[in-house]
Structure formats: C-alpha cells, structure tokens
Amino acid sequence: QIAGSPTASRCPPGSDFSSPDHNWCQLPWCFVSSQCPSKIPSNVFNGTNLFYSYDVCGNAPNCYHDFSGDPRCPFDPTKSFSFTLHKTEGCECKYHGYELDSNIYMSY
C-alpha cells in the first residue's frame, strides 16, 4: 500500500483483505539491506538492488507467494477479522504511506 508504487493499485481501500488477492497487502514488511539473511529480492523494482523481508517485522507469513500453503494465511494478527496490522514501535516500513523517491522507481 505504498502510494506511488507499481502495486498500489492492486491494494485499493475497502478490499477484502481476507482474500488471497489482497491479504498480502496488509503483511508487515520492510526494505532491508542485501546483508539481511531473510532478504527477498524485489521483483517490482528489477535492477535496483532493493530487498524486503517479512521476518524483520514480526516473522509474518509470506501470503503473497504461499497463501494456500501457509496455515497463517490469511494474515490476521489481531484475530479481529480486520486482516490489518498498523506497524509501530520501530518496525515501520521505510516508505509506508509516502511516495517512493523517484530515483528508486525511475531507475529500474
């Protein structure tokens, strides 16, 4: 749900975040360095050397790639059927709620 990112339109407000199509939109993740053991290369920004991780922000399941295989999907950390998580206390995603710097998305 990063405004300005190529995937922002795939996570519109009001989506059914319990569905395989949208649950991944609510997973906590953060951009991480290439040295991070749990890094996943970004396939959205090919060639930018950007990596992200679910593990860094609470070992969240990877419901984007393994929705049907991981019993923790759909991700609902509060068990309130809201299927959302608002990140605070030092694990906020670097660009969450902001547009990406143009030097990131114009260089891939």
Side-chain angles (χ1 to χ4, degrees):
Q1 294 182 338
I2 299 174
S5 75
T7 60
S9 64
R10 295 173 50 197
C11 300
S15 295
D16 176 3
F17 292 116
S18 68
S19 78
D21 292 334
H22 300 291
N23 186 246
W24 64 271
C25 299
Q26 299 299 319
L27 295 173
W29 61 273
C30 296
F31 283 116
V32 296
S33 79
S34 61
Q35 305 304 309
C36 182
S38 63
K39 72 181 180 289
I40 301 169
S42 173
N43 62 1
V44 174
F45 300 107
N46 288 328
T48 60
N49 209 22
L50 282 175
F51 301 90
Y52 65 97
S53 174
Y54 296 111
D55 290 342
V56 171
C57 291
N59 193 26
N62 186 343
C63 297
Y64 184 78
H65 293 108
D66 196 20
F67 189 88
S68 60
D70 192 322
R72 300 173 296 165
C73 299
F75 183 63
D76 187 23
T78 62
K79 307 294 186 241
S80 64
F81 298 102
S82 69
F83 303 98
T84 61
L85 176 68
H86 299 286
K87 297 167 282 301
T88 59
E89 300 175 13
C91 196
E92 298 83 6
C93 290
K94 187 173 179 182
Y95 301 105
H96 191 82
Y98 298 96
E99 289 192 20
L100 291 172
D101 294 330
S102 62
N103 64 341
I104 292 174
Y105 64 83
M106 296 298 288
S107 301
Y108 69 98

